[in-house]
PDB file of all heavy atoms in Angstrom:
ATOM      1  N   PRO A 210     -70.186  32.887 -45.490  1.00 98.00           N
ATOM      2  CA  PRO A 210     -71.095  33.337 -44.588  1.00 98.00           C
ATOM      3  C   PRO A 210     -72.485  32.632 -44.756  1.00 98.00           C
ATOM      4  O   PRO A 210     -73.226  32.530 -43.785  1.00 98.00           O
ATOM      5  CB  PRO A 210     -71.221  34.727 -44.823  1.00 98.00           C
ATOM      6  CG  PRO A 210     -70.695  35.064 -46.048  1.00 98.00           C
ATOM      7  CD  PRO A 210     -69.613  33.994 -46.302  1.00 98.00           C
ATOM      8  N   TRP A 211     -72.786  32.127 -45.908  1.00 98.00           N
ATOM      9  CA  TRP A 211     -74.088  31.498 -46.155  1.00 98.00           C
ATOM     10  C   TRP A 211     -74.161  30.104 -45.411  1.00 98.00           C
ATOM     11  O   TRP A 211     -75.210  29.669 -44.981  1.00 98.00           O
ATOM     12  CB  TRP A 211     -74.240  31.240 -47.621  1.00 98.00           C
ATOM     13  CG  TRP A 211     -73.311  30.355 -48.328  1.00 98.00           C
ATOM     14  CD1 TRP A 211     -73.453  29.010 -48.494  1.00 98.00           C
ATOM     15  CD2 TRP A 211     -72.039  30.748 -48.934  1.00 98.00           C
ATOM     16  NE1 TRP A 211     -72.385  28.504 -49.193  1.00 98.00           N
ATOM     17  CE2 TRP A 211     -71.485  29.595 -49.473  1.00 98.00           C
ATOM     18  CE3 TRP A 211     -71.435  31.954 -49.057  1.00 98.00           C
ATOM     19  CZ2 TRP A 211     -70.240  29.568 -50.092  1.00 98.00           C
ATOM     20  CZ3 TRP A 211     -70.209  32.013 -49.799  1.00 98.00           C
ATOM     21  CH2 TRP A 211     -69.648  30.801 -50.180  1.00 98.00           C
ATOM     22  N   ALA A 214     -75.243  30.983 -41.987  1.00 98.00           N
ATOM     23  CA  ALA A 214     -76.649  31.189 -41.906  1.00 98.00           C
ATOM     24  C   ALA A 214     -77.454  29.794 -41.880  1.00 98.00           C
ATOM     25  O   ALA A 214     -78.355  29.702 -41.056  1.00 98.00           O
ATOM     26  CB  ALA A 214     -77.138  31.973 -43.162  1.00 98.00           C
ATOM     27  N   GLY A 251     -78.833  39.113 -35.463  1.00 98.00           N
ATOM     28  CA  GLY A 251     -78.073  38.999 -36.644  1.00 98.00           C
ATOM     29  C   GLY A 251     -76.510  39.042 -36.567  1.00 98.00           C
ATOM     30  O   GLY A 251     -75.854  38.995 -37.557  1.00 98.00           O
ATOM     31  N   ILE A 264     -71.308  38.732 -38.234  1.00 99.00           N
ATOM     32  CA  ILE A 264     -72.594  38.734 -38.796  1.00 99.00           C
ATOM     33  C   ILE A 264     -72.958  37.329 -39.151  1.00 99.00           C
ATOM     34  O   ILE A 264     -72.261  36.659 -39.802  1.00 99.00           O
ATOM     35  CB  ILE A 264     -72.727  39.633 -40.062  1.00 99.00           C
ATOM     36  CG1 ILE A 264     -72.562  41.106 -39.579  1.00 99.00           C
ATOM     37  CG2 ILE A 264     -74.078  39.467 -40.695  1.00 99.00           C
ATOM     38  CD1 ILE A 264     -72.561  42.122 -40.677  1.00 99.00           C
ATOM     39  N   GLY A 265     -74.203  36.904 -38.803  1.00 98.00           N
ATOM     40  CA  GLY A 265     -74.766  35.701 -39.101  1.00 98.00           C
ATOM     41  C   GLY A 265     -75.974  35.813 -40.025  1.00 98.00           C
ATOM     42  O   GLY A 265     -75.905  36.095 -41.200  1.00 98.00           O
ATOM     43  N   ARG A 266     -77.060  35.656 -39.410  1.00 98.00           N
ATOM     44  CA  ARG A 266     -78.424  36.118 -40.007  1.00 98.00           C
ATOM     45  C   ARG A 266     -79.377  36.447 -38.987  1.00 98.00           C
ATOM     46  O   ARG A 266     -79.349  35.869 -37.847  1.00 98.00           O
ATOM     47  CB  ARG A 266     -78.912  34.879 -40.863  1.00 98.00           C
ATOM     48  CG  ARG A 266     -79.054  33.643 -40.198  1.00 98.00           C
ATOM     49  CD  ARG A 266     -80.315  32.848 -40.635  1.00 98.00           C
ATOM     50  NE  ARG A 266     -81.565  33.499 -40.388  1.00 98.00           N
ATOM     51  CZ  ARG A 266     -82.679  32.984 -40.746  1.00 98.00           C
ATOM     52  NH1 ARG A 266     -82.888  31.938 -41.399  1.00 98.00           N
ATOM     53  NH2 ARG A 266     -83.796  33.769 -40.379  1.00 98.00           N
ATOM     54  N   PRO A 267     -80.422  37.324 -39.174  1.00 98.00           N
ATOM     55  CA  PRO A 267     -81.320  37.638 -38.178  1.00 98.00           C
ATOM     56  C   PRO A 267     -82.447  36.637 -38.059  1.00 98.00           C
ATOM     57  O   PRO A 267     -82.725  35.860 -39.010  1.00 98.00           O
ATOM     58  CB  PRO A 267     -81.808  39.113 -38.619  1.00 98.00           C
ATOM     59  CG  PRO A 267     -81.748  38.992 -40.098  1.00 98.00           C
ATOM     60  CD  PRO A 267     -80.519  38.086 -40.408  1.00 98.00           C
ATOM     61  N   ASN A 293     -86.843  32.105 -46.943  1.00 98.00           N
ATOM     62  CA  ASN A 293     -85.726  33.010 -47.231  1.00 98.00           C
ATOM     63  C   ASN A 293     -84.676  32.827 -46.155  1.00 98.00           C
ATOM     64  O   ASN A 293     -84.522  33.777 -45.346  1.00 98.00           O
ATOM     65  CB  ASN A 293     -86.198  34.471 -47.462  1.00 98.00           C
ATOM     66  CG  ASN A 293     -87.044  34.631 -48.602  1.00 98.00           C
ATOM     67  OD1 ASN A 293     -86.878  33.973 -49.650  1.00 98.00           O
ATOM     68  ND2 ASN A 293     -88.064  35.512 -48.456  1.00 98.00           N
ATOM     69  N   PRO A 294     -83.904  31.799 -46.133  1.00 98.00           N
ATOM     70  CA  PRO A 294     -82.991  31.644 -44.951  1.00 98.00           C
ATOM     71  C   PRO A 294     -81.688  32.335 -45.128  1.00 98.00           C
ATOM     72  O   PRO A 294     -80.882  32.230 -44.143  1.00 98.00           O
ATOM     73  CB  PRO A 294     -82.828  30.017 -44.926  1.00 98.00           C
ATOM     74  CG  PRO A 294     -82.895  29.695 -46.350  1.00 98.00           C
ATOM     75  CD  PRO A 294     -84.020  30.643 -46.946  1.00 98.00           C
ATOM     76  N   TYR A 295     -81.359  32.839 -46.264  1.00 98.00           N
ATOM     77  CA  TYR A 295     -80.097  33.467 -46.542  1.00 98.00           C
ATOM     78  C   TYR A 295     -80.102  34.869 -46.639  1.00 98.00           C
ATOM     79  O   TYR A 295     -81.082  35.571 -46.968  1.00 98.00           O
ATOM     80  CB  TYR A 295     -79.555  32.848 -47.893  1.00 98.00           C
ATOM     81  CG  TYR A 295     -79.350  31.345 -47.944  1.00 98.00           C
ATOM     82  CD1 TYR A 295     -80.290  30.618 -48.527  1.00 98.00           C
ATOM     83  CD2 TYR A 295     -78.221  30.802 -47.337  1.00 98.00           C
ATOM     84  CE1 TYR A 295     -80.161  29.112 -48.658  1.00 98.00           C
ATOM     85  CE2 TYR A 295     -78.037  29.413 -47.325  1.00 98.00           C
ATOM     86  CZ  TYR A 295     -78.968  28.629 -47.921  1.00 98.00           C
ATOM     87  OH  TYR A 295     -78.837  27.248 -48.027  1.00 98.00           O
ATOM     88  N   VAL A 296     -78.883  35.459 -46.338  1.00 98.00           N
ATOM     89  CA  VAL A 296     -78.696  36.862 -46.387  1.00 98.00           C
ATOM     90  C   VAL A 296     -78.391  37.282 -47.763  1.00 98.00           C
ATOM     91  O   VAL A 296     -77.330  36.751 -48.359  1.00 98.00           O
ATOM     92  CB  VAL A 296     -77.676  37.437 -45.449  1.00 98.00           C
ATOM     93  CG1 VAL A 296     -77.275  38.846 -45.715  1.00 98.00           C
ATOM     94  CG2 VAL A 296     -77.950  37.226 -44.029  1.00 98.00           C
ATOM     95  N   GLY A 297     -79.254  38.101 -48.472  1.00 98.00           N
ATOM     96  CA  GLY A 297     -78.943  38.547 -49.802  1.00 98.00           C
ATOM     97  C   GLY A 297     -77.963  39.679 -49.810  1.00 98.00           C
ATOM     98  O   GLY A 297     -77.020  39.726 -50.554  1.00 98.00           O
ATOM     99  N   LYS A 298     -78.266  40.674 -48.939  1.00 98.00           N
ATOM    100  CA  LYS A 298     -77.370  41.768 -48.819  1.00 98.00           C
ATOM    101  C   LYS A 298     -77.539  42.464 -47.443  1.00 98.00           C
ATOM    102  O   LYS A 298     -78.655  42.258 -46.750  1.00 98.00           O
ATOM    103  CB  LYS A 298     -77.561  42.808 -49.943  1.00 98.00           C
ATOM    104  CG  LYS A 298     -78.976  43.449 -50.021  1.00 98.00           C
ATOM    105  CD  LYS A 298     -79.010  44.361 -51.249  1.00 98.00           C
ATOM    106  CE  LYS A 298     -80.416  44.957 -51.402  1.00 98.00           C
ATOM    107  NZ  LYS A 298     -80.437  45.936 -52.576  1.00 98.00           N
ATOM    108  N   VAL A 299     -76.618  43.285 -47.002  1.00 98.00           N
ATOM    109  CA  VAL A 299     -76.691  43.949 -45.785  1.00 98.00           C
ATOM    110  C   VAL A 299     -76.445  45.462 -45.997  1.00 98.00           C
ATOM    111  O   VAL A 299     -75.540  45.866 -46.716  1.00 98.00           O
ATOM    112  CB  VAL A 299     -75.620  43.372 -44.781  1.00 98.00           C
ATOM    113  CG1 VAL A 299     -75.757  44.101 -43.359  1.00 98.00           C
ATOM    114  CG2 VAL A 299     -75.755  41.925 -44.584  1.00 98.00           C
ATOM    115  N   ARG A 323     -79.760  46.865 -41.954  1.00 99.00           N
ATOM    116  CA  ARG A 323     -80.903  46.267 -42.623  1.00 99.00           C
ATOM    117  C   ARG A 323     -80.458  45.053 -43.434  1.00 99.00           C
ATOM    118  O   ARG A 323     -79.437  45.036 -44.075  1.00 99.00           O
ATOM    119  CB  ARG A 323     -81.465  47.199 -43.664  1.00 99.00           C
ATOM    120  CG  ARG A 323     -82.709  46.653 -44.511  1.00 99.00           C
ATOM    121  CD  ARG A 323     -83.354  47.759 -45.391  1.00 99.00           C
ATOM    122  NE  ARG A 323     -83.969  48.812 -44.589  1.00 99.00           N
ATOM    123  CZ  ARG A 323     -85.264  48.770 -44.197  1.00 99.00           C
ATOM    124  NH1 ARG A 323     -86.054  47.824 -44.591  1.00 99.00           N
ATOM    125  NH2 ARG A 323     -85.686  49.847 -43.589  1.00 99.00           N
ATOM    126  N   PHE A 324     -81.100  43.882 -43.119  1.00 99.00           N
ATOM    127  CA  PHE A 324     -80.899  42.642 -43.844  1.00 99.00           C
ATOM    128  C   PHE A 324     -81.942  42.401 -44.889  1.00 99.00           C
ATOM    129  O   PHE A 324     -83.079  42.686 -44.603  1.00 99.00           O
ATOM    130  CB  PHE A 324     -80.842  41.484 -42.863  1.00 99.00           C
ATOM    131  CG  PHE A 324     -79.773  41.517 -41.830  1.00 99.00           C
ATOM    132  CD1 PHE A 324     -79.946  42.028 -40.672  1.00 99.00           C
ATOM    133  CD2 PHE A 324     -78.590  40.823 -42.100  1.00 99.00           C
ATOM    134  CE1 PHE A 324     -78.952  42.033 -39.686  1.00 99.00           C
ATOM    135  CE2 PHE A 324     -77.554  40.786 -41.193  1.00 99.00           C
ATOM    136  CZ  PHE A 324     -77.711  41.443 -39.947  1.00 99.00           C
ATOM    137  N   VAL A 325     -81.516  41.973 -46.071  1.00 98.00           N
ATOM    138  CA  VAL A 325     -82.425  41.598 -47.154  1.00 98.00           C
ATOM    139  C   VAL A 325     -82.186  40.166 -47.322  1.00 98.00           C
ATOM    140  O   VAL A 325     -81.110  39.727 -47.763  1.00 98.00           O
ATOM    141  CB  VAL A 325     -82.268  42.374 -48.410  1.00 98.00           C
ATOM    142  CG1 VAL A 325     -83.147  41.971 -49.503  1.00 98.00           C
ATOM    143  CG2 VAL A 325     -82.299  43.853 -48.200  1.00 98.00           C
ATOM    144  N   MET A 326     -83.271  39.433 -47.040  1.00 98.00           N
ATOM    145  CA  MET A 326     -83.046  37.924 -46.965  1.00 98.00           C
ATOM    146  C   MET A 326     -83.585  37.348 -48.363  1.00 98.00           C
ATOM    147  O   MET A 326     -84.400  37.979 -49.065  1.00 98.00           O
ATOM    148  CB  MET A 326     -83.993  37.296 -45.894  1.00 98.00           C
ATOM    149  CG  MET A 326     -83.689  37.767 -44.517  1.00 98.00           C
ATOM    150  SD  MET A 326     -81.974  37.590 -44.073  1.00 98.00           S
ATOM    151  CE  MET A 326     -81.992  35.791 -43.737  1.00 98.00           C
ATOM    152  N   GLN A 327     -83.106  36.124 -48.766  1.00 98.00           N
ATOM    153  CA  GLN A 327     -83.529  35.575 -49.946  1.00 98.00           C
ATOM    154  C   GLN A 327     -83.440  34.066 -49.935  1.00 98.00           C
ATOM    155  O   GLN A 327     -82.980  33.568 -48.955  1.00 98.00           O
ATOM    156  CB  GLN A 327     -82.639  36.017 -51.220  1.00 98.00           C
ATOM    157  CG  GLN A 327     -81.089  35.700 -50.966  1.00 98.00           C
ATOM    158  CD  GLN A 327     -80.250  36.346 -52.131  1.00 98.00           C
ATOM    159  OE1 GLN A 327     -80.417  37.538 -52.378  1.00 98.00           O
ATOM    160  NE2 GLN A 327     -79.272  35.557 -52.512  1.00 98.00           N
ATOM    161  N   ALA A 328     -83.980  33.439 -50.920  1.00 98.00           N
ATOM    162  CA  ALA A 328     -84.123  31.851 -50.873  1.00 98.00           C
ATOM    163  C   ALA A 328     -82.778  31.172 -51.141  1.00 98.00           C
ATOM    164  O   ALA A 328     -82.710  30.052 -50.737  1.00 98.00           O
ATOM    165  CB  ALA A 328     -85.231  31.471 -51.883  1.00 98.00           C
ATOM    166  N   THR A 329     -81.876  31.759 -51.834  1.00 98.00           N
ATOM    167  CA  THR A 329     -80.695  31.109 -52.258  1.00 98.00           C
ATOM    168  C   THR A 329     -79.468  31.844 -51.689  1.00 98.00           C
ATOM    169  O   THR A 329     -79.520  33.019 -51.401  1.00 98.00           O
ATOM    170  CB  THR A 329     -80.624  31.011 -53.853  1.00 98.00           C
ATOM    171  OG1 THR A 329     -80.624  32.420 -54.306  1.00 98.00           O
ATOM    172  CG2 THR A 329     -81.747  30.261 -54.450  1.00 98.00           C
ATOM    173  N   PRO A 330     -78.373  31.003 -51.449  1.00 98.00           N
ATOM    174  CA  PRO A 330     -77.155  31.708 -51.029  1.00 98.00           C
ATOM    175  C   PRO A 330     -76.590  32.807 -51.918  1.00 98.00           C
ATOM    176  O   PRO A 330     -76.629  32.597 -53.133  1.00 98.00           O
ATOM    177  CB  PRO A 330     -76.219  30.560 -50.847  1.00 98.00           C
ATOM    178  CG  PRO A 330     -77.014  29.403 -50.880  1.00 98.00           C
ATOM    179  CD  PRO A 330     -78.109  29.689 -51.741  1.00 98.00           C
ATOM    180  N   ASN A 331     -76.101  33.825 -51.225  1.00 98.00           N
ATOM    181  CA  ASN A 331     -75.299  34.889 -51.960  1.00 98.00           C
ATOM    182  C   ASN A 331     -73.906  34.497 -51.746  1.00 98.00           C
ATOM    183  O   ASN A 331     -73.357  34.878 -50.734  1.00 98.00           O
ATOM    184  CB  ASN A 331     -75.650  36.364 -51.472  1.00 98.00           C
ATOM    185  CG  ASN A 331     -74.841  37.400 -52.258  1.00 98.00           C
ATOM    186  OD1 ASN A 331     -73.957  37.062 -53.051  1.00 98.00           O
ATOM    187  ND2 ASN A 331     -75.109  38.592 -51.914  1.00 98.00           N
ATOM    188  N   LYS A 332     -73.246  33.961 -52.824  1.00 98.00           N
ATOM    189  CA  LYS A 332     -71.892  33.382 -52.629  1.00 98.00           C
ATOM    190  C   LYS A 332     -70.869  34.437 -53.051  1.00 98.00           C
ATOM    191  O   LYS A 332     -69.692  34.148 -53.234  1.00 98.00           O
ATOM    192  CB  LYS A 332     -71.725  32.102 -53.353  1.00 98.00           C
ATOM    193  CG  LYS A 332     -72.534  30.960 -52.840  1.00 98.00           C
ATOM    194  CD  LYS A 332     -72.334  29.719 -53.492  1.00 98.00           C
ATOM    195  CE  LYS A 332     -73.200  28.566 -52.879  1.00 98.00           C
ATOM    196  NZ  LYS A 332     -72.907  27.221 -53.406  1.00 98.00           N
ATOM    197  N   TRP A 334     -71.083  37.627 -51.359  1.00 98.00           N
ATOM    198  CA  TRP A 334     -71.075  38.604 -50.221  1.00 98.00           C
ATOM    199  C   TRP A 334     -69.997  38.087 -49.217  1.00 98.00           C
ATOM    200  O   TRP A 334     -70.056  37.019 -48.763  1.00 98.00           O
ATOM    201  CB  TRP A 334     -72.406  38.817 -49.531  1.00 98.00           C
ATOM    202  CG  TRP A 334     -72.420  39.644 -48.393  1.00 98.00           C
ATOM    203  CD1 TRP A 334     -72.145  40.891 -48.302  1.00 98.00           C
ATOM    204  CD2 TRP A 334     -72.510  39.256 -47.023  1.00 98.00           C
ATOM    205  NE1 TRP A 334     -72.152  41.476 -47.075  1.00 98.00           N
ATOM    206  CE2 TRP A 334     -72.414  40.375 -46.196  1.00 98.00           C
ATOM    207  CE3 TRP A 334     -72.808  38.055 -46.377  1.00 98.00           C
ATOM    208  CZ2 TRP A 334     -72.550  40.386 -44.819  1.00 98.00           C
ATOM    209  CZ3 TRP A 334     -72.941  37.963 -45.038  1.00 98.00           C
ATOM    210  CH2 TRP A 334     -72.784  39.091 -44.241  1.00 98.00           C
TER     211      TRP A 334
END
Side-chain angles (χ1 to χ4, degrees):
W211 63 92
I264 293 175
R266 54 144 296 178
N293 294 322
Y295 296 102
V296 174
K298 60 182 176 179
V299 182
R323 183 175 293 268
F324 292 91
V325 179
M326 307 300 289
Q327 62 187 41
T329 57
N331 178 353
K332 295 187 178 181
W334 177 68

